[in-house]
Amino acid sequence: MYRVAIVDDDDGVRQSLSSLLRSLGYEARTFASADAFLATLQDPPDCLLTDIQMPQMNGDVLQQELLARGCTFPMIFMSAFPTDAIRERVMARGALAFLAKPVDAETLACYLTQALE
């Protein structure tokens, strides 16, 4: 079973995405912050699904930190306030996708299939 990490400071988003991923057959591990996720990297996920706008460390900086640590798992980014500049930056660094919130379940399922199977 593939493990997908969900990093989002919004509890409702984490819960709904976790339910969706479980219904698609994935194991979902949720984190309320980038720092909480980074503390678990000794057991990395198969894919990361993260918000961009978060307090302390945003998704853009999280991606930079993961790449600096040599992490190569697929990364999917989400934002309620998508901008071309952020989209271009995370995609240029190898993101699989940059999705606008609310995330469309079918679109997310397609990207997860692409990332994991």
Side-chain angles (χ1 to χ4, degrees):
M1 180 180 291
Y2 291 110
R3 291 175 297 153
V4 179
I6 300 165
V7 182
D8 198 303
D9 60 313
D10 185 311
D11 185 54
V13 171
R14 287 193 313 275
Q15 288 180 9
S16 64
L17 288 172
S18 179
S19 293
L20 172 63
L21 294 183
R22 286 193 313 271
S23 75
L24 295 171
Y26 301 112
E27 177 186 333
R29 299 183 338 188
T30 62
F31 303 90
S33 70
D35 287 330
F37 171 68
L38 288 171
T40 69
L41 278 184
Q42 70 279 2
D43 184 25
D46 298 302
C47 184
L48 170 65
L49 177 59
T50 185
D51 191 15
I52 288 288
Q53 281 84 23
M54 296 183 289
Q56 287 85 44
M57 182 184 297
N58 67 33
D60 188 19
V61 175
L62 173 59
Q63 182 190 35
Q64 290 176 316
E65 180 64 26
L66 290 169
L67 293 173
R69 293 183 186 199
C71 296
T72 60
F73 46 78
M75 300 177 202
I76 299 171
F77 293 84
M78 315 170 288
S79 179
F81 308 99
T83 67
D84 289 338
I86 293 174
R87 178 188 316 272
E88 289 170 13
R89 204 165 41 242
V90 298
M91 295 302 288
R93 290 192 301 244
L96 178 65
F98 184 89
L99 307 173
K101 286 182 173 179
V103 173
D104 176 71
E106 259 186 64
T107 301
L108 179 57
C110 288
Y111 279 115
L112 288 170
T113 298
Q114 182 181 343
L116 299 169
E117 298 176 2

